[in-house]
Amino acid sequence: QVQLVESGGGLVQPGGSLRLSCAASGSIFNIGDMGWYRQAPGKERELVAGITRGGNANYAGSVEGRFTISRDNAKNTVFLQMNSLKTEDTAVYYCNADIRQYGPSSRGYWGQGTQVTVSS
């Protein structure tokens, strides 16, 4: 069984910063791509940032230059450093990981989500 547990969400003023963490645990052989998604009320879930096992990152245009994704492969953890936060960044943030347990195939797992609220 695999679990992804996010932490680091909260309430922050516009212009502030937050750092999200997501740790994977359980029977894991290895982890491929990892990413952060977000879903605001009334909107569809969208990709915020993704990172390969080798460290290549990609970002949504709306967060480019403000957010940084990173990972620690030894600890099965992915991070999202969010700077210069805007009210439109308010959403529930979910981490996703492509995890291989046994055999040659892998599948995607989701965390439970962490609320980020940007408000004055």
Side-chain angles (χ1 to χ4, degrees):
Q1 191 166 350
V2 171
Q3 273 193 314
L4 296 181
V5 179
E6 297 120 336
S7 59
L11 172 64
V12 65
Q13 292 187 339
S17 298
L18 283 175
R19 187 179 192 234
L20 305 183
S21 300
C22 173
S25 62
S27 300
I28 296 171
F29 181 74
N30 68 17
I31 302 177
D33 295 347
M34 304 183 83
W36 288 95
Y37 291 71
R38 68 186 180 188
Q39 188 166 19
K43 295 188 177 181
E44 293 187 354
R45 191 173 297 189
E46 62 175 357
L47 175 67
V48 176
I51 186 167
T52 67
R53 183 170 180 82
N56 292 316
N58 63 282
Y59 299 91
S62 58
V63 307
E64 186 94 47
R66 299 188 297 122
F67 291 9
T68 302
I69 188 170
S70 60
R71 63 189 287 173
D72 183 335
N73 290 333
K75 296 182 179 180
N76 292 336
T77 302
V78 63
F79 307 95
L80 186 67
Q81 177 66 43
M82 304 185 294
N83 299 328
S84 303
L85 282 160
K86 304 176 180 180
T87 55
E88 51 263 44
D89 294 318
T90 295
V92 178
Y93 283 70
Y94 300 89
C95 74
N96 176 272
D98 186 49
I99 295 176
R100 179 182 169 188
Q101 288 190 279
Y102 315 106
S105 62
S106 63
R107 55 156 284 194
Y109 289 84
W110 290 94
Q112 81 286 356
T114 185
Q115 176 70 46
V116 171
T117 302
V118 185
S119 175
S120 55

